[in-house]
Amino acid sequence: MTQSVLTVAPNRHIGLPDLMGILNDQNTRAIDVIAGSGALSCQDGMLLLKGTEPDISSTGVTLTAGAYTLSDIALAGVGEKLNIPLPYLRRMAQDNVPALDYNVNTWMERDHRRFLVRCLRHTAGGSDGGVARAFLSDRFLRLDNLDVLLAVLDGIRDTGVSVTVDSCDLTDRRMYVRFISPEIEVLAPELLRNYRSPFDGRRGSDLPVINGGFILTNSETGFGKYSLAPFIRVKVCKNGQTIDKALLSRTHKGAKITHDDGIIDPSPETLRKLLELITEQTKDAVRAYLDVDFVTRAVRDLEQAAGIVVARPDETIKIVSKELKYTEEQQREILSHFIVGADLSAGGVMQAVTSFGRSVADADVAYRMETTATQALHLAAKAAAA
């Protein structure tokens, strides 16, 4: 067996128990605040939020202003809402904090809107501040990762279909959970006959199996809607990609929050209805995506373009990367995976994109590889045939 040349990113692909532990910890420290110009300001580069930190004294508990470090995501939200260029904000945060305070406060005073600020305290119920992780419109509909995940697991359980969690990733932008059914297997000898796993050298011809599944994504910080999308995984190397055929989703925008400034909690009734909808959509996803005929059609569609020989890999991958806006570094990595994968076809380019996705440390980049792999296949086939 060929010795492994490339490796899977060690900081990714966590299991469901680990993900649940992280989400439970975050929920104990989470605080969401609706604030207008009178309730928030910037001081020493920190975001000050009135009425968010408990102050315990002999007379009781009062809420005082809390200081929260601005994450890059929150800083970008401030820039977007106040129309301040993000590179300028970053430069001030790095080199001239008083200028950052002045600019944010000056423009905030002129703005009469209210905003949703999503924070994580350093400690649960503590008064030692924390991190502002997102600065959003007060129309943003909060669908927290843990609630969404539990609703999806309920939907899977209700169907009685055998589904396993293949891998999970959590970033500051999104949660990713990939579900696979071990019962939904499709043989793909034509697609995999020349492919070799870049991770352990196993050949696709020895295990030409593709499993059907779906991927759950959700963002608590404004990076796209909750969604369930069909997902297939090559068994020999665990490379996976989405299928551009169907999508179940819920946008994170709802009725404007109308209560006074301060710490907010969602209406239990509103949250219950939203989560019930997600559970029902999950049942629809299981019925639609975990179907042998559905996966077979998806695989056959890929095979139509996959067999075209790529005579000039450097040039073809450069064209694909330009069209899909991959960086030069990503282009080089995809070429490396293409060479090690040893499948000199358009299908090999697709596999190189997905195997790079498994090896890259940034889960957000990995997801983009998974969602553009089919496009990369067709672009490579077109370029190779030209």
Side-chain angles (χ1 to χ4, degrees):
M1 181 176 290
T2 303
Q3 184 178 2
S4 175
V5 176
L6 302 174
T7 58
V8 176
N11 62 319
R12 292 188 44 225
H13 311 295
I14 63 176
L16 182 60
D18 290 333
L19 176 63
M20 296 284 285
I22 294 170
L23 296 181
N24 275 302
D25 171 67
Q26 288 184 348
N27 272 20
T28 65
R29 297 185 291 115
I31 174 174
D32 291 331
V33 180
I34 290 291
S37 59
L40 59 83
S41 61
C42 200
Q43 181 177 313
D44 298 328
M46 307 277 283
L47 192 65
L48 297 188
L49 291 168
K50 292 184 178 179
T52 60
E53 293 300 319
D55 181 28
I56 303 175
S57 67
S58 58
T59 59
V61 179
T62 57
L63 291 176
T64 61
Y68 297 86
T69 302
L70 281 162
S71 70
D72 191 67
I73 292 173
L75 194 65
V78 170
E80 178 188 359
K81 296 297 182 292
L82 301 182
N83 200 24
I84 305 174
L86 180 56
Y88 181 50
L89 280 175
R90 286 172 173 159
R91 183 180 178 189
M92 288 187 291
Q94 181 69 32
D95 300 326
N96 194 340
V97 171
L100 174 68
D101 294 343
Y102 175 79
N103 274 270
V104 172
N105 292 335
T106 299
W107 289 109
M108 187 65 68
E109 290 171 0
R110 297 167 178 246
D111 199 306
H112 302 295
R113 292 174 297 171
R114 297 188 303 169
F115 306 100
L116 169 62
V117 187
R118 308 207 75 180
C119 303
L120 284 177
R121 288 190 173 112
H122 291 312
T123 57
S127 57
D128 54 348
V131 176
R133 56 184 183 137
F135 192 92
L136 303 159
S137 163
D138 66 349
R139 291 182 62 88
F140 184 81
L141 179 61
R142 297 184 303 151
L143 290 175
D144 288 344
N145 289 331
L146 183 60
D147 292 332
V148 169
L149 177 57
L150 292 175
V152 168
L153 292 174
D154 283 343
I156 293 172
R157 191 177 302 112
D158 289 347
T159 65
V161 176
S162 175
V163 178
T164 62
V165 175
D166 184 52
S167 70
C168 310
D169 285 309
L170 183 66
T171 72
D172 292 337
R173 287 170 169 78
R174 297 183 190 89
M175 172 183 70
Y176 307 99
V177 185
R178 299 165 188 85
F179 298 93
I180 293 295
S181 174
E183 297 177 351
I184 306 301
E185 291 189 341
V186 172
L187 294 178
E190 289 301 312
L191 187 65
L192 300 174
R193 63 190 175 94
N194 294 320
Y195 182 62
R196 185 176 64 205
S197 169
F199 306 117
D200 61 15
R202 291 193 298 170
R203 295 187 177 277
S205 57
D206 295 331
L207 189 62
V209 175
I210 289 181
N211 288 101
F214 58 92
I215 181 171
L216 160 68
T217 64
N218 188 58
S219 177
E220 296 182 337
T221 53
F223 288 88
K225 59 183 71 173
Y226 138 84
S227 70
L228 293 168
F231 184 81
I232 58 174
R233 189 195 69 177
V234 178
K235 195 168 186 177
V236 71
C237 60
K238 296 187 178 180
N239 295 346
Q241 66 191 76
T242 59
I243 303 171
D244 302 328
K245 287 185 175 294
L247 181 70
L248 298 172
S249 65
R250 170 75 193 205
T251 186
H252 284 255
K253 188 171 285 188
K256 191 171 183 179
I257 300 170
T258 58
H259 49 65
D260 295 335
D261 291 359
I263 299 173
I264 63 170
D265 290 307
S267 160
E269 181 65 16
T270 298
L271 184 59
R272 182 184 64 80
K273 290 181 179 179
L274 288 174
L275 297 178
E276 285 178 352
L277 173 62
I278 291 173
T279 297
E280 292 304 313
Q281 286 183 328
T282 301
K283 296 177 186 178
D284 293 339
V286 170
R287 286 189 288 265
Y289 306 154
L290 302 188
D291 176 80
V292 170
D293 290 339
F294 176 84
V295 177
T296 299
R297 289 193 301 271
V299 171
R300 300 299 172 254
D301 287 345
L302 297 177
E303 286 179 333
Q304 288 182 7
I308 296 177
V309 175
V310 175
R312 299 183 296 276
D314 287 20
E315 181 179 329
T316 298
I317 291 175
K318 183 177 181 179
I319 292 170
V320 170
S321 298
K322 183 178 180 180
E323 288 291 327
L324 297 178
K325 295 182 171 55
Y326 297 154
T327 67
E328 289 187 7
E329 181 181 357
Q330 290 165 359
Q331 178 181 324
R332 289 193 296 270
E333 291 292 335
I334 290 168
L335 179 59
S336 295
H337 281 256
F338 178 82
I339 293 170
V340 178
D343 183 352
L344 306 181
S345 68
V349 174
M350 177 185 71
Q351 297 288 6
V353 170
T354 56
S355 65
F356 168 60
R358 271 185 59 73
S359 69
V360 68
D362 188 330
D364 295 316
V365 171
Y367 177 67
R368 184 156 191 275
M369 297 299 119
E370 292 171 345
T371 55
T372 57
T374 301
Q375 292 173 265
L377 166 67
H378 293 293
L379 288 169
K382 182 179 178 181

